[in-house]
Amino acid sequence: MALFALSSSSPKDRPARRGSARARLERSLHSPLVLFTLKGLNFSFTAITNFVLTFVLVRAIGLDSYAVIASLLAIAALVLQMDLGVTGLTFFQLRSHYLAEAGKNDIKQDDRDLVTAIVTIYFAVSILSVVILGAAVAAGLVRIGPYSVAYVLIFAGAVSALPRMALRVAINARDGFVWSEIIDLGRRSAILCATVAMLLGLSFTSYSLLNLSAWVLSIAALMRAAHTHGFSTGRGALPRGLRLLRREVRGIRATVLLSLADFVIAVFPYYFLAATRDAAAIVAFDMLYKVTRFAVMGYLIGAETALPHQTRAVHNGDAKALTRITARAFLVGLLPMVSGIIAIGLFGERVFAIILNHNEIISPVMRLVICAMLAFGLIQTTCQIVLIGVGKFEELARRASITFTGMILISAAMVLFHWSLDAFMIGYVIIYGAGSVLYAECLYALVQSLRSKNQHVEA
């Protein structure tokens, strides 16, 4: 009877019900709990995919071929680095404009044009990089073994993250965090299914094609979401956007320096160790990199969930709210950090041996380094996300440059004094930890500046 009662409501009630459903949907799209849940799911799917994929590929194509994939992904990371911090600066500007609009629905024409220009450039860079790699492989200039087609497809999927970055920034700047996470969840679900299918006999080439297809479809969905958030393109948008971007480029020295320093700090051991032609060393660092990036994704669950509220707190000059929200984000990050340290400490030897099908690659010292990186990564991620979101690029760039200088020194020491891989990684984690403390000091300075302004206003 209740079912029939629901379906027999008068036509006059239907608009009210539709309005109520729309209001509930709007609340869920801005709910921290929904965003937190989606980020947790994305984190879980990515973690499972990465480790299952490594498990499968090491056995299906061999350790040397897997090292080729790791090297190609490091090259893809260079392509992504073409962003040079532009998306971080763009988010800060778009977010500032959105918060200043105080609920207005219209977007400034300059913001639309700027996003159009950045997305177009990033599409062009991604496509060009794939064409160059494909041509180099076809011409025999780059020899990457019997899986060349699959390698190029994997590379194409990896560089697709460049236009995705710009689209996500545009959507998130206008409180579209939930939509972007939903789209990412769809892509990661599809890739996880393809990864599991490899356990059932799917070929490596077929997996690579499905992986690229998932990236393409997710980017199409992000373009649609950007349009619904007001980022429509019109006649003349691209040339106007290029002129705006050229004007902005003159003032992004700090973002470029920060982006380059962070990138080199994170991945330069790939290239440094590649010069030794030691596949085991490359794979060992690849495991460290994957585990720490996996942990950072866990930390981002709390950090990015807090970001909309942190940017509002800074916009309103509320030091107490900023401190409270940041502390909560840090506490959320403690769970994956502590869990990771316990897992690596107690079960790391067995787990890495199973994943890599070798017992000696990840040494006890390397496992200790990974645990330390998990702790320092939580500090850096929690601080960096909010500091970039509120535009503290110059302050971060200065601190990242100090860390970068330390990395150069330990690299020189390894060459001069013939350090082992373990000795190099100990130096690496010490310098990285010092850099994370500098980021924390920068956040503390921001909170203190807000408090000083509040005290001045009250006086």
Side-chain angles (χ1 to χ4, degrees):
M1 294 296 294
L3 179 62
F4 288 109
L6 285 172
S7 62
S8 61
S9 58
S10 66
K12 294 181 180 180
D13 294 334
R14 292 172 189 166
R17 281 208 312 277
R18 283 196 296 268
S20 177
R22 191 178 298 113
R24 287 195 298 272
L25 176 61
E26 187 68 21
R27 285 195 299 271
S28 67
L29 292 175
H30 293 84
S31 168
L33 179 60
V34 172
L35 180 58
F36 180 83
T37 302
L38 287 169
K39 284 190 169 296
L41 288 172
N42 273 313
F43 166 71
S44 301
F45 277 43
T46 301
I48 295 169
T49 301
N50 283 343
F51 290 106
V52 170
L53 184 60
T54 302
F55 177 88
V56 174
L57 290 182
V58 167
R59 288 158 176 78
I61 62 178
L63 192 65
D64 289 340
S65 294
Y66 179 78
V68 171
I69 294 177
S71 299
L72 283 176
L73 292 180
I75 296 172
L78 280 174
V79 177
L80 300 185
Q81 194 58 30
M82 294 293 289
D83 172 64
L84 294 175
V86 170
T87 52
L89 180 61
T90 302
F91 174 82
F92 167 63
Q93 292 183 341
L94 296 177
R95 184 69 176 169
S96 298
H97 295 165
Y98 174 69
L99 294 174
E101 289 169 5
K104 296 179 183 178
N105 292 322
D106 293 335
I107 302 178
K108 293 181 178 181
Q109 185 65 52
D110 284 355
D111 288 350
R112 291 196 190 97
D113 296 342
L114 183 62
V115 170
T116 298
I118 294 173
V119 171
T120 302
I121 291 171
Y122 286 7
F123 267 120
V125 169
S126 299
I127 293 171
L128 181 61
S129 66
V130 175
V131 171
I132 291 173
L133 177 63
V137 171
L141 300 176
V142 177
R143 301 181 185 279
I144 51 178
Y147 303 103
S148 57
V149 173
Y151 288 151
V152 172
L153 292 174
I154 290 289
F155 180 82
V159 298
S160 297
L162 188 59
R164 166 191 170 271
M165 289 163 56
L167 290 165
R168 271 181 59 96
V169 158
I171 296 166
N172 290 348
R174 301 191 68 82
D175 277 344
F177 294 90
V178 168
W179 278 118
S180 61
E181 290 298 325
I182 289 173
I183 294 169
D184 276 357
L185 182 61
R187 171 177 58 81
R188 289 186 169 114
S189 300
I191 293 175
L192 177 58
C193 290
T195 303
V196 172
M198 289 185 70
L199 293 172
L200 305 176
L202 183 71
S203 69
F204 178 43
T205 302
S206 298
Y207 164 81
S208 304
L209 182 60
L210 290 174
N211 175 74
L212 178 58
S213 299
W215 274 102
V216 171
L217 291 174
S218 70
I219 289 174
L222 285 170
M223 292 178 67
R224 176 61 182 171
H227 186 271
T228 60
H229 281 80
F231 292 100
S232 56
T233 59
R235 181 176 299 177
L238 180 58
R240 289 195 305 268
L242 291 174
R243 287 193 294 270
L244 285 168
L245 187 58
R246 185 174 58 186
R247 200 161 64 231
E248 294 292 341
V249 165
R250 299 169 186 169
I252 66 170
R253 182 183 63 85
T255 62
V256 170
L257 181 58
L258 172 62
S259 180
L260 287 175
D262 276 348
F263 170 75
V264 173
I265 289 166
V267 304
F268 87 91
Y270 274 118
Y271 312 108
F272 188 68
L273 296 173
T276 67
R277 299 184 180 277
D278 185 348
I282 297 172
V283 172
F285 179 78
D286 183 64
M287 283 293 98
L288 179 144
Y289 182 79
K290 279 187 166 57
V291 171
T292 52
R293 297 310 300 171
F294 162 61
V296 166
M297 288 193 62
Y299 305 154
L300 288 175
I301 296 173
E304 291 190 345
T305 300
L307 183 60
H309 310 285
Q310 289 169 319
T311 52
R312 287 185 184 276
V314 174
H315 180 76
N316 296 329
D318 192 341
K320 290 183 179 179
L322 176 61
T323 303
R324 183 178 65 253
I325 295 166
T326 304
R328 289 175 180 173
F330 184 82
L331 289 174
V332 170
L334 282 176
L335 178 59
M337 185 202 79
V338 173
S339 301
I341 290 174
I342 292 174
I344 297 297
L346 296 181
F347 312 109
E349 181 178 8
R350 188 181 313 162
V351 170
F352 286 124
I354 293 172
I355 292 174
L356 299 175
N357 205 28
H358 288 77
N359 294 320
E360 301 84 11
I361 293 179
I362 307 299
S363 68
V365 172
M366 182 64 80
R367 294 198 298 273
L368 183 62
V369 166
I370 292 173
C371 291
M373 286 289 291
L374 295 181
F376 291 134
L378 173 59
I379 298 171
Q380 178 164 316
T381 302
T382 303
C383 298
Q384 186 179 37
I385 290 297
V386 60
L387 290 168
I388 289 177
V390 299
K392 298 297 180 180
F393 299 104
E394 291 187 6
E395 293 86 344
L396 287 174
R398 286 195 296 269
R399 290 159 175 82
S401 298
I402 295 172
T403 307
F404 173 65
T405 302
M407 294 298 181
I408 293 177
L409 292 176
I410 64 166
S411 300
M414 182 177 182
V415 174
L416 292 174
F417 302 111
H418 306 288
W419 284 0
S420 66
L421 174 64
D422 287 345
F424 171 74
M425 293 313 304
I426 290 173
Y428 178 88
V429 75
I430 290 173
I431 300 298
Y432 186 90
S436 68
V437 173
L438 290 176
Y439 276 37
E441 179 271 330
C442 186
L443 179 59
Y444 177 77
L446 171 62
V447 173
Q448 288 299 102
S449 69
L450 293 177
R451 285 175 178 164
S452 298
K453 289 179 183 178
N454 289 339
Q455 290 173 357
H456 180 72
V457 171
E458 290 173 0

